[in-house]
Amino acid sequence: ACDDAYSNIQPGVAATADRFLSMMTSGRYRIDMDPRRKDVLAVSDGDEVKGPKRWSTGLRAQVLLSMKLAVAKELGDGKVPMILDDVLLPFDPDRMEGAVRALAEVSREMQVIMFTCDPAVADVASELQDVSVVRLEALNA
């Protein structure tokens, strides 16, 4: 089973996660997953390699979101919707913008439904083409 996962599933997930992280970070970071090393590395600027212990909180959140999206896309073959709830809370404004743009790109390949209580996320998303934003108003009792 492990051989099958590494040879058939892992390469697709790794490549897709790498593409998503690159989208989120405007090409600054890439994911290098080598099952022989048993770790995940984010590679910065093509030269500097940062292991997980050197990741900032924001980079960690971006890597994890990239991995979640990649697993959903590869294992669901793009047919299963991705439902996200306030996944961008740990992101600073620049990272949040990159992630929203990446999620919009991902939504061309699979359905993405994202809930947020952050008006800034909704504002950024509403500026993007082919993204629908539905704002729910609080009911006054």
Side-chain angles (χ1 to χ4, degrees), residues 1 3 6 9-10 13 17 24 31-32 35 45 51 56 66 73 76 78 92 95 97 114 120 126 140:
D3 287 342
Y6 282 131
I9 297 170
Q10 194 268 351
V13 170
M24 285 185 204
I31 293 177
D32 176 21
D45 301 324
S56 67
S66 297
K73 180 175 181 322
D92 62 36
R95 290 178 194 272
E97 271 192 52
M114 183 173 67
S126 65
N140 293 329

Side-chain angles (χ1 to χ4, degrees), residues 12-13 15-25 62-84 87-88 91 96-114 128-132:
V13 170
T16 301
D18 175 52
R19 186 168 57 89
F20 293 158
L21 182 64
S22 181
M23 277 190 242
M24 285 185 204
T25 62
Q62 287 174 312
V63 169
L64 292 175
L65 180 56
S66 297
M67 294 298 296
K68 288 175 189 177
L69 291 170
V71 167
K73 180 175 181 322
E74 293 300 317
L75 295 183
D77 199 26
K79 297 175 185 166
V80 177
M82 175 62 105
I83 301 173
L84 307 168
V87 295
L88 305 182
F91 290 49
M96 180 270 294
E97 271 192 52
V100 169
R101 292 182 197 294
L103 288 168
E105 181 71 26
V106 169
S107 73
R108 293 187 177 123
E109 301 173 35
M110 61 189 288
Q111 184 179 23
V112 177
I113 301 168
M114 183 173 67
L128 299 175
Q129 187 176 357
D130 298 328
V131 173
S132 298

Side-chain angles (χ1 to χ4, degrees), residues 137-141:
E137 300 297 324
L139 296 174
N140 293 329

